[in-house]
């Protein structure tokens, strides 16, 4: 296995038990099926600090991917000096990945924002908090009265704490009254949520990480788990290298570390997941590898599914996907024959063509085989970000809080009662405006104020040039709340410095529904303030109130907000009512909903409970309550199926290569934090372009050549790496923007991506674009 | 096939062809609304498919098939002009109102096509034209899906156009 780049010596100041830069997954602790995953204690301490020097270990969990590894933060003299994994936690059993071990150093980086900044005469200048928030609230009130709530948009994150999302959702919906509220989870897990709403009636992960311990086969679709969730991959590797090795089927256009371990690796052409999955389901149906009792008792829509996949034979799919039909058959045999199947799905599906239909087809596999809710039988529609789950649950990412249905008047009334406002106050004439549409309104000029919290759309949204031009408009007032001066903050009119993880208390929930409490360990730098405190202060300055004239956000501590959320979630699928701060302190990670969902074969699909009446998954046309009732699901899961159709842009004579993008194991998102951790930054300091040996030879390119990758929308320049990858496909990492290299060559992958999104989940399609390659230097 | 049933199919063909043209026109006029651009083009292809099936059904029954609608080079030029204009106009606050207007027109056309399918379907059932009944079943279901999408998109756009500013 080759890594992105090896450091040549000690580059940072952290000391770890083993070099987790060279080996991101650490030593193996193999175990057999049904056994407990052995613990392994991972520690990183600042050089010169010994465990005896630590004055206090503060309970927390890692926020640098969706895994949510439990850890303690080591504090000395009021500073963070290290982290250690919590061995008793169900998620990681003590392990930490490279980002967890090193990323905490970003907290203490001198680049941290410590004062609000206001743009005056074209330049951002420091102002005090009272001035900043009065300007923010004043501008808001002016726009509300002149143009109405629809002129205000809130675009937040997958990085806040649960309490902050809930408070933000209450403020935005019942205070500002705008329907334009979304999170950057739109880019990351909108499809996961949507597929679960379509298939099972509500968001909520059916599976559990413990299913890794019990499964007989793993099916990883578009999920390079070795880089995205290193500790989950350690768990899988420990099964793969132990007794009773599970079979492994991998779908990925690149020869990733995961693909290296696979029994069957399907390196499909970008944008063809659905054709492949339809063929696998075709095989299950054709060979009757179907649990007929389960399907009969617990599902609706089988006939439609069978009719749709009928023509998707392995031979037909092999043509579309450009993989051997025999490999598709082998994969289907493993999936159809295994007694316990765990499937995992991530951005290779969610950010690719026909995302929701593809993710639903993976849910369909588990419904067909009756493999949900039992040990080893699960599907993990993964999250990318650490707190994406909470953005979705608490209503900061487009959906109403508590997986409530905006089309269901009773659900809206419940919220109105909880918040003591009139139901008509809460926007519910449609779903929350998705991020891409919000930016479209800003482009048209009907959105006049955009509040961006904890995210970096200038680098992370598709077609960067378009996004920059939208953010730069004089007629749009942009407020950015962040810990660092990101590329987006550089374009803002007002910047609010935020405290981050370790500097504030709150909870968050990982991919497998495990809730952790993260306690405040140190003070934030300078004037940086917790997001919750900023949200509540802004609300007070706006004077938003309930129908009795009392402040709408009457909270001062995170725990008070959390208790309000417990009441809000009670009785809903994501019920937190019995998970208190006290229990989280005493027990560590606790899953809401228990170890697995749907073990009782009952799905939240009655018209009264469901989060969503569903959609036509080919066009995104919304179903009404009448359509939903006519389907007659009433507690049974729903098969959704669609035909594959070609992606919106395919390679041609002018732009002959398919562009895909993804991550480095050492970085998260746009490197806002990870580039400020010396070991991580040294391991992957700059962008690169990956292509196969044959393609490189065809263009007379060699390793290290500086190449220009260009689409119809923009280009990047970066050195070439030759790596195993399907022919005709080019890979560029998406992390690199320009904050640390403003005069360097263009390197943001999104300069090249196109503005297009899945019709159902509205998740942008980052993984299909056509590009051409030229050599510009060596 | 009875001549009157064939004539009804001919009418339906004309409706599908017009709907396809209008989908393409709306797509290109609203190229800066990227979902409209892509979905309208794909719905236009769906209409092309229906028209093609109608032509085959008429030919198979020995009737003269209507001509395939040819877009030709002139149309390609118009489409490009529309697309460029919509990109240039993309920053205007009038684009929302225009989109609403165009989607409303599209909805009227698609409703007409849906009723056309109902008429043909009933005729086909009474004439025991079983293949045509099969065609009706998919065609009417798909155009109903188109109507649902158009309505979904109108519901998204209307509040912003009518209440903001």
């Amino acid at each position: 296995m080759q890594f992105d780049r090896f450091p040549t010596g000690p580059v940072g100041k952290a000391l770890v038990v083993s070099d987790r830069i060279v080996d991101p997954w650490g030593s193996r602790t193999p175990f057999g099926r049904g056994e407990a995953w052995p613990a392994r204690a991972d520690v990183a301490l600042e050089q010169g600090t010994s465990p005896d020097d630590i004055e206090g270990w503060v309970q927390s969990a890692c926020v640098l991917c969706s895994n949510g590894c439990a850890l303690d933060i080591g504090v000395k003299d009021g500073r963070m000096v290290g982290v250690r994994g919590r061995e008793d936690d169900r998620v990681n059993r003590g392990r930490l990945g490279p980002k967890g071990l090193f990323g905490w150093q970003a907290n203490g980086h001198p680049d941290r924002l410590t004062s609000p900044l206001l743009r005056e005469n074209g330049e951002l200048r420091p102002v005090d908090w009272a001035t900043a928030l009065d300007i923010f609230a004043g501008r808001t009130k002016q726009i509300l009265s002149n143009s109405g709530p629809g002129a205000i948009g809130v675009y937040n994150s997958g990085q806040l704490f649960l309490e902050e999302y809930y408070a933000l959702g209450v403020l935005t919906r019942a205070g500002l009254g705008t329907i334009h509220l979304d999170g950057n989870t739109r880019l990351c897990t909108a499809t996961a949520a949507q597929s679960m709403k379509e298939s099972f009636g509500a968001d909520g992960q059916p599976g559990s990480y413990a299913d890794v311990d019990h499964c007989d086969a793993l099916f990883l679709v578009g999920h390079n788990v070795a880089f995205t969730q290193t500790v989950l991959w350690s768990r899988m590797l420990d099964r793969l290298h132990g007794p009773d090795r599970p079979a492994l089927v991998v779908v990925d256009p690149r020869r990733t570390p995961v693909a290296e371990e696979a029994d069957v690796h399907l390196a499909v052409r970008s944008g063809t997941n659905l054709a492949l999955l339809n063929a696998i389901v075709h095989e299950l149906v054709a060979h009757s590898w179907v649990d007929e009792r389960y399907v009969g008792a617990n599902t609706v829509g089988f006939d439609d599914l069978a009719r749709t996949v009928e023509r998707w034979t392995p031979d037909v799919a092999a043509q579309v996907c450009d993989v051997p039909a025999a490999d598709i058959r082998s994969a289907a045999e493993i999936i159809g024959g295994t007694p316990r199947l765990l499937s995992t799905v991530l951005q290779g599906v969610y950010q690719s063509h026909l995302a929701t239909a593809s993710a639903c087809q993976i849910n369909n596999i588990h419904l067909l085989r009756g493999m949900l809710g039992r040990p080893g039988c699960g599907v993990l529609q993964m999250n990318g970000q650490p707190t994406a789950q909470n953005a979705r649950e608490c209503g900061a990412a487009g959906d109403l809080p508590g997986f409530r249905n905006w089309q269901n008047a009773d659900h809206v009334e419940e919220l109105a009662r909880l918040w003591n406002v009139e139901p008509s106050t809460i926007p519910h004439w449609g779903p929350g405006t998705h991020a891409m549409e919000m930016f479209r309104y800003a482009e048209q000029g009907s959105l006049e104020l955009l509040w961006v919290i904890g995210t970096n759309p200038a680098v992370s949204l598709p077609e960067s040039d378009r996004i920059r031009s939208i953010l730069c408009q004089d007629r749009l007032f942009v407020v950015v709340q962040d810990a660092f001066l990101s590329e987006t903050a550089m374009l803002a009119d007002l910047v609010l410095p935020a405290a981050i993880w370790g500097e504030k208390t709150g909870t968050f929930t990982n991919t497998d529904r495990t809730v952790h409490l993260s306690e405040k360990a140190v003070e934030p730098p300078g004037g940086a303030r917790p997001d919750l405190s900023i949200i509540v202060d802004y609300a007070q300055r706006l004077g938003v109130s309930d129908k009795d004239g009392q402040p709408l956000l009457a909270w001062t501590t995170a725990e008070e907000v959390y208790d309000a959320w417990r009441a809000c979630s009670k009785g809903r699928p994501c019920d937190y009512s019995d998970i208190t701060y006290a229990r989280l302190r005493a027990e560590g990670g606790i899953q809401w909903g228990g170890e697995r969902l749907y073990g009782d074969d009952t799905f939240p699909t009655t018209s009264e409970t469901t989060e969503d009446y569903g959609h036509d998954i080919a066009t995104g046309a919304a179903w009404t309550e009448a359509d939903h009732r006519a389907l007659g699901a009433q507690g049974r899961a729903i098969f959704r199926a669609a035909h594959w159709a070609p992606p919106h842009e395919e390679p041609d004579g002018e732009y002959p290569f398919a562009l895909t993008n993804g991550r480095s194991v050492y970085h998260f998102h746009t490197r806002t934090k990870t580039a400020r951790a010396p070991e991580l930054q040294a391991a992957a300091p700059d962008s690169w372009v990956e292509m196969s040996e044959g393609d490189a030879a065809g263009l007379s390119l060699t390793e290290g050549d500086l190449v220009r990758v260009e689409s119809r929308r923009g280009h990047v320049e970066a050195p070439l790496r030759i790596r195993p990858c399907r022919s005709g496909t080019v890979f560029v990492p998406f992390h690199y923007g320009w904050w640390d290299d403003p005069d360097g060559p263009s390197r943001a992958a999104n300069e090249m991506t196109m503005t297009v999104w899945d019709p159902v989940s509205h998740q942008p399609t980052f993984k299909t674009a056509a590009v051409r390659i030229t050599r510009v230097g060596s | 096939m009875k001549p009157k049933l064939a004539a009804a199919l001919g009418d339906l063909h004309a409706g599908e062809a017009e709907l396809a043209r209008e989908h393409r026109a709306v797509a290109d006029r609203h190229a800066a609304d990227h979902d409209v651009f892509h979905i309208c083009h794909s719905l236009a292809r769906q209409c092309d498919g229906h028209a093609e099936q109608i032509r085959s059904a008429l030919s198979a029954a020995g009737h003269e098939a209507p001509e395939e609608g040819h877009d030709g080079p002139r149309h390609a030029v118009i489409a490009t002009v529309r697309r460029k204009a919509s990109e240039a106009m993309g920053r205007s606050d009038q684009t929302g109102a225009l989109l609403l207007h165009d989607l409303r027109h599209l909805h009227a056309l698609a409703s007409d096509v849906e009723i056309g399918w109902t008429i043909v379907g009933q005729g086909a059932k009474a004439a025991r034209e079983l293949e045509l009944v099969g065609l009706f079943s998919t065609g009417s279901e798909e155009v109903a899906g188109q109507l649902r999408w158009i309505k979904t998109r109108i519901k998204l756009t209307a509040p912003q156009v009518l209440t903001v500013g």
Side-chain angles (χ1 to χ4, degrees):
Chain A
M1 184 52 222
Q2 286 177 304
F3 293 93
D4 296 342
R5 196 158 305 192
F6 293 95
T8 49
V11 288
K13 50 186 182 170
L15 172 76
V16 273
V17 281
S18 74
D19 192 346
R20 204 52 48 75
I21 294 292
V22 177
D23 177 8
W25 310 292
S27 51
R28 294 280 56 77
T29 48
F31 68 119
R33 189 170 66 71
E35 294 170 10
W37 189 29
R40 185 190 79 197
D42 287 351
V43 185
L45 294 178
E46 203 172 84
Q47 234 166 25
T49 304
S50 83
D52 297 339
D53 299 331
I54 303 288
E55 291 157 7
W57 288 103
V58 179
Q59 182 176 345
S60 181
C62 181
V63 285
L64 287 164
C65 83
S66 64
N67 215 54
C69 295
L71 57 76
D72 293 321
I73 303 169
V75 179
K76 185 188 168 209
D77 301 328
R79 291 176 51 247
M80 286 186 191
V81 290
V83 291
R84 67 175 184 198
R86 290 172 69 95
E87 290 182 59
D88 58 355
D89 197 273
R90 62 176 303 281
V91 170
N92 54 322
R93 306 296 318 278
R95 290 163 189 78
L96 294 173
K99 291 190 281 284
L101 285 167
F102 301 114
W104 54 271
Q105 297 170 94
N107 279 60
H109 198 278
D111 286 352
R112 286 291 300 274
L113 291 169
T114 55
S115 162
L117 305 170
L118 177 68
R119 188 170 298 280
E120 286 174 309
N121 302 323
E123 277 186 41
L124 288 170
R125 296 178 205 280
V127 289
D128 62 44
W129 270 105
T131 306
L133 288 181
D134 281 341
I135 285 170
F136 185 16
R139 191 65 176 251
T140 306
K141 283 193 262 192
Q142 189 189 6
I143 290 171
L144 281 173
S145 89
N146 291 347
S147 303
I152 296 175
V154 181
Y155 181 50
N156 68 102
S157 177
Q159 318 269 329
L160 300 178
F161 285 161
L162 176 154
E163 295 78 0
E164 292 161 340
Y165 292 125
Y166 185 62
L168 184 66
V170 175
L171 169 63
T172 307
R173 291 202 166 81
L176 297 171
T178 178
I179 197 164
H180 310 322
L181 169 64
D182 202 7
N184 68 4
T185 50
R186 186 64 61 187
L187 321 182
C188 124
T189 67
T191 302
Q194 195 63 44
S195 79
M196 293 190 280
K197 286 187 259 183
E198 300 291 337
S199 300
F200 310 131
D203 192 355
Q205 192 70 270
S208 164
Y209 278 177
D211 291 328
V212 175
D213 313 349
H214 294 279
C215 68
D216 296 289
L218 285 160
F219 182 35
L220 271 57
V221 192
H223 184 198
N224 182 12
V225 58
F227 282 13
T228 54
Q229 287 92 7
T230 55
V231 172
L232 178 59
W233 178 235
S234 296
R235 192 169 189 152
M236 291 177 180
L237 271 179
D238 284 346
R239 278 297 317 277
L240 291 165
H241 292 203
D244 330 304
R245 177 189 183 277
L248 176 62
V249 178
V250 173
V251 181
D252 199 309
R254 294 193 302 153
R255 191 89 184 157
T256 61
V258 179
E260 292 280 349
E261 295 279 337
D263 299 276
V264 181
H265 172 208
L266 298 157
V268 296
R269 198 161 67 84
S270 288
T272 66
N273 292 323
L274 185 60
L276 174 77
L277 293 161
N278 281 355
I280 288 173
V281 171
H282 172 276
E283 289 293 276
L284 299 184
V285 173
H287 294 276
S288 298
W289 293 327
V290 171
D291 182 338
E292 285 173 13
R293 187 209 61 79
Y294 188 93
V295 169
N298 302 315
T299 68
V300 293
F302 175 78
D303 292 344
D304 279 348
L305 174 72
R307 216 173 17 249
T308 306
V309 299
E310 199 176 353
R311 68 176 156 96
W312 289 101
T313 62
D315 292 312
V316 170
Q319 292 293 314
V320 170
C321 306
D322 190 26
V323 293
D327 288 357
I328 300 178
R329 290 197 180 88
S330 303
E333 260 173 55
I334 291 171
I335 291 164
T338 182
R340 278 166 292 257
L341 174 69
L342 172 62
S343 300
T344 73
V345 192
L346 196 57
Q347 306 309 356
V349 171
Y350 304 157
Q351 295 181 343
S352 191
H353 181 54
L354 299 171
T356 304
S358 303
C360 284
Q361 196 60 293
I362 295 157
N363 294 340
N364 293 343
I365 288 171
H366 285 263
L367 293 170
L368 283 171
R369 300 230 50 224
M371 289 193 181
L372 284 174
R374 290 184 283 127
C377 298
V379 59
L380 291 168
Q381 296 282 357
M382 298 293 296
N383 300 342
Q385 298 184 77
T387 75
Q389 190 64 39
N390 307 108
R392 278 149 48 186
E393 293 164 0
C394 299
D399 298 311
L400 292 180
F403 297 160
R404 285 176 174 85
N405 181 354
W406 61 268
Q407 292 200 73
N408 185 328
D410 294 338
H411 287 190
V412 177
E413 267 175 40
E414 285 168 12
L415 289 178
R417 268 197 306 278
L418 285 159
W419 300 343
N420 193 33
V421 297
E422 294 297 337
S424 62
T425 306
I426 302 169
H428 64 282
W429 51 84
T433 307
H434 63 90
M436 299 303 289
E437 193 65 18
M438 220 187 289
F439 277 82
R440 174 69 185 129
Y441 291 151
E443 184 178 41
Q444 285 174 325
S446 68
L447 201 82
E448 298 170 39
L449 188 153
L450 183 63
W451 183 11
V452 179
I453 308 173
T455 187
N456 191 9
V459 181
S460 58
L461 284 180
E463 214 179 329
S464 311
D465 195 45
R466 170 175 177 263
I467 299 300
R468 277 191 299 265
S469 76
I470 292 171
L471 291 170
C472 288
Q473 298 174 101
D474 285 340
R475 62 184 176 177
L476 180 69
F477 191 72
V478 179
V479 180
V480 173
Q481 189 164 312
D482 209 307
F484 293 96
L485 196 69
S486 65
E487 289 86 345
T488 306
M490 289 177 195
L491 304 176
D493 298 289
L494 180 65
V495 179
L496 304 173
I500 52 176
W501 169 91
E503 299 162 0
K504 59 184 184 182
T505 291
T507 51
F508 61 96
T509 306
N510 82 340
T511 288
D512 87 335
R513 292 172 284 106
T514 304
V515 190
H516 283 114
L517 177 67
S518 179
E519 303 260 25
K520 177 176 173 176
V522 298
E523 289 299 325
R529 287 170 61 177
D531 296 276
L532 180 62
S533 144
I534 301 171
I535 292 164
V536 170
D537 193 342
Y538 167 61
Q540 281 167 355
R541 285 170 207 262
L542 281 174
V544 289
S545 55
D546 65 13
K547 63 184 180 188
D548 296 326
Q550 297 303 306
L552 189 63
L553 274 65
W555 302 305
T556 49
T557 68
E559 189 166 3
E560 286 167 14
V561 186
Y562 182 82
D563 288 342
W565 164 247
R566 285 172 51 221
C568 179
S569 66
K570 191 173 168 60
R572 292 299 301 159
C574 51
D575 191 332
Y576 280 66
S577 57
D578 67 349
I579 305 175
T580 60
Y581 268 31
R583 276 191 66 200
L584 291 167
R585 281 194 181 104
E587 299 170 39
I590 301 172
Q591 284 175 292
W592 64 251
E595 180 111 60
R596 295 173 187 85
L597 304 184
Y598 312 136
D600 60 355
D601 298 344
T602 302
F603 297 88
T605 54
T606 65
S607 297
E608 292 71 31
T609 54
T610 191
E611 183 181 4
D612 196 320
Y613 293 137
H615 296 81
D616 173 348
I617 61 169
T619 63
W623 288 16
T624 62
E625 183 181 352
D627 297 326
H628 185 264
R629 284 193 188 278
L631 185 68
Q634 298 301 332
R636 291 178 287 175
I638 301 163
F639 285 116
R640 304 269 188 198
H643 291 289
W644 177 84
H648 300 302
E649 186 173 86
E650 291 196 283
D652 54 23
E654 211 181 340
Y655 295 91
F657 289 92
L659 171 72
T660 189
N661 60 42
R663 65 171 62 253
S664 151
V665 71
Y666 305 112
H667 284 301
F668 191 63
H669 272 203
T670 58
R671 296 161 57 249
T672 316
K673 286 166 91 172
T674 49
R676 272 111 176 175
E679 293 80 2
L680 300 176
Q681 172 62 4
D686 207 343
S687 191
W688 71 93
V689 175
E690 257 177 59
M691 68 194 307
S692 73
E693 196 172 357
D695 285 343
L699 295 171
S700 308
L701 298 171
T702 53
E703 176 94 11
D705 279 353
L706 184 64
V707 294
R708 180 183 170 101
V709 186
E710 185 175 17
S711 80
R712 290 181 175 84
R713 294 154 294 276
H715 73 275
V716 299
E717 286 177 13
L720 180 69
R721 291 185 194 176
I722 294 170
R723 293 289 183 278
C725 177
R726 62 165 292 124
S727 175
T729 298
V730 178
F731 171 91
V732 174
F734 58 59
H735 304 291
Y736 299 91
W738 52 90
W739 62 264
D740 55 339
D741 190 12
D743 304 319
S746 166
R747 58 181 187 173
N750 279 321
E751 304 285 354
M752 300 178 287
T753 50
M754 64 189 304
T755 304
V756 58
W757 54 87
D758 181 72
V760 195
S761 67
H762 306 125
Q763 180 156 356
T765 307
F766 293 97
K767 308 247 192 249
T768 57
V771 293
R772 59 186 174 208
I773 316 280
T774 44
R775 184 174 173 279
V776 291
S778 57
Chain B
M1 190 186 293
K2 297 271 188 190
K4 287 181 196 166
L5 182 53
L9 263 183
D11 285 349
L12 184 57
H13 182 275
E16 288 279 7
E18 190 185 356
L19 184 56
R21 266 195 305 277
E22 193 56 24
H23 270 308
R24 292 199 165 90
V26 172
D28 293 332
R29 264 203 296 278
H30 299 280
D33 283 288
H34 296 76
D35 58 333
V36 173
F37 178 79
H38 290 295
I39 291 175
C40 282
H41 272 298
S42 96
L43 296 181
R45 285 191 294 275
Q46 195 176 62
C47 295
D48 293 344
H50 295 162
E52 163 73 34
Q53 287 166 329
I54 293 169
R55 282 196 302 279
S56 306
L58 284 168
S59 300
H63 290 275
E64 195 184 336
E67 286 206 10
E68 190 181 345
H70 275 296
D71 288 342
R74 187 172 150 271
H75 179 87
V77 171
I78 293 172
T80 308
V81 170
R82 274 199 199 115
R83 203 153 42 226
K84 293 287 174 204
S86 77
E87 281 161 12
M89 285 286 291
R91 283 285 162 90
S92 160
D93 61 357
Q94 296 303 310
T95 52
L98 280 176
L99 177 60
L100 205 52
H101 172 272
D102 282 352
L103 289 171
R104 184 179 187 159
H105 180 56
L106 209 47
H107 194 270
L109 284 180
S111 297
D112 192 54
V113 170
E114 194 203 22
I115 284 299
W117 276 110
T118 305
I119 291 167
V120 165
Q122 291 298 95
K125 283 175 194 163
R128 276 78 174 177
E129 295 271 3
L130 297 186
E131 277 192 28
L132 198 51
V133 172
L135 203 61
F136 150 78
S137 150
T138 331
S140 65
E141 206 174 288
E142 287 183 342
V143 75
Q146 294 198 8
L147 282 166
R148 258 206 301 269
W149 177 78
I150 298 165
K151 195 167 188 174
T152 300
R153 196 63 182 74
I154 285 173
K155 283 176 147 182
L156 173 70
T157 303
Q160 193 72 5
V161 170
L162 301 181
T163 68
V164 182

